[in-house]
Amino acid sequence: MTRQDTTFRAAVEGATVAHRQFRTELDVETKDSKMDFVTQADTDTQQRVIEIIKDRYPEATIVGEEEDERKSLPDDGNAWVIDPIDGTTNFVRGVHLWTTTVAAVRDHETVAATTVAPALDDVYTVDSNGTMLNGEQTAVSMETDPEQFIVAPILRYGSERDEEFGNLLRGLIRQFGDLRRFGCAQVTLGMVASGAIDAAVSTQPEPNPWDTIAGVYLVEQAGGTVTDIDGTRWTPDAEGIVATNGTRHDEVVEHVAQTVR
C-alpha cells in the first residue's frame, strides 16, 4: 500500500466516523476561544485515522490537531499530518463545509494527501501525478481578469488579529470581483485546485500544518501557485498564504501584503 493509498483509506474511514455524528446531538467544548470548538467527533475521527496509519506504518510520526499528538512537523523524515475535522464550527452548526484531511510529508515536502468532504460527497486526492476530484483530474481556473476573480479569505485564528483581518477583507473586495468565506481552509484550497474559485488568502503567521499542508499541495499539483505574503514559495512556517490559479498571482500578493504593512 502506497502512502497515497494510506492517506485515502485513513481520510475516508475517518470521515465516515465524523459523518455519523454530523447533525446529531453533540457534546461541544471550546479550546482557546469561544469559537474554537472541539467535539467527541474530532477525537474519535483522529483516533481512527491514526489506527489506520499505524496499522501500515507502526512507527509513524503523527502531527494532529487534537489530543497530545505533535503540533509541528519534525525537522526531517516522514510524518503524517491529520485534521480530523477541518471546519469544526461548520460541523457543530450543521453546515456541510467541513473535511477530514490526511497528508503524508517527507522532509517538509508533501508527497500525498486526501481531503474528504463527506457532507458534500467530494473527495480530493493528490500526489506527484496531479490533483483529482472524485476520481477525475482537475485543474485551477484560467481566469485572468481581476474584476472577475473570486477570492476567499481563510484562517481567522483569533480576535487579536481582527483589525488586520477586516483590512484584508476591505482591500480584497475593492480590488477583486467578489469574496467568499467558507470557514474551512481545506475545502477552500480544494476549490482553488478545482477551479471553483480563483484564490485563497491569509495573513496569519505560521498557520497550523493541518489547516494548510494538504490543501497547498492540491493547488500546486493542479497547476496553481502558492506563496507567502511576500511572494516567496510557501513553506509550513511561512507568514500568511496566497494560493491562486497563477494568472495574476503577483497582483494578489501585492494587495494582501498591503493589509499588513
Side-chain angles (χ1 to χ4, degrees), residues 9 26 37 45 73 96 102 104 129-130 133-134 142 149 151 171 188 190 194 206 232 235 240 253 261:
R9 182 184 168 209
L26 298 168
F37 298 118
T45 300
L73 293 175
H96 288 68
V102 182
N129 295 315
L133 172 58
N134 298 331
M142 299 300 292
F149 256 49
V151 182
T188 305
S194 65
E206 298 185 6
T232 303
T235 60
V253 166
R261 289 174 182 158

Side-chain angles (χ1 to χ4, degrees), residues 107-146:
D107 296 334
H108 280 225
E109 295 290 334
T110 311
V111 296
T114 299
T115 287
V116 180
L120 300 177
D121 205 24
D122 281 340
V123 178
Y124 296 89
T125 59
V126 58
D127 60 15
S128 60
N129 295 315
T131 300
M132 310 281 281
L133 172 58
N134 298 331
E136 300 290 335
Q137 196 89 25
T138 192
V140 296
S141 78
M142 299 300 292
E143 184 59 61
T144 61
D145 183 355

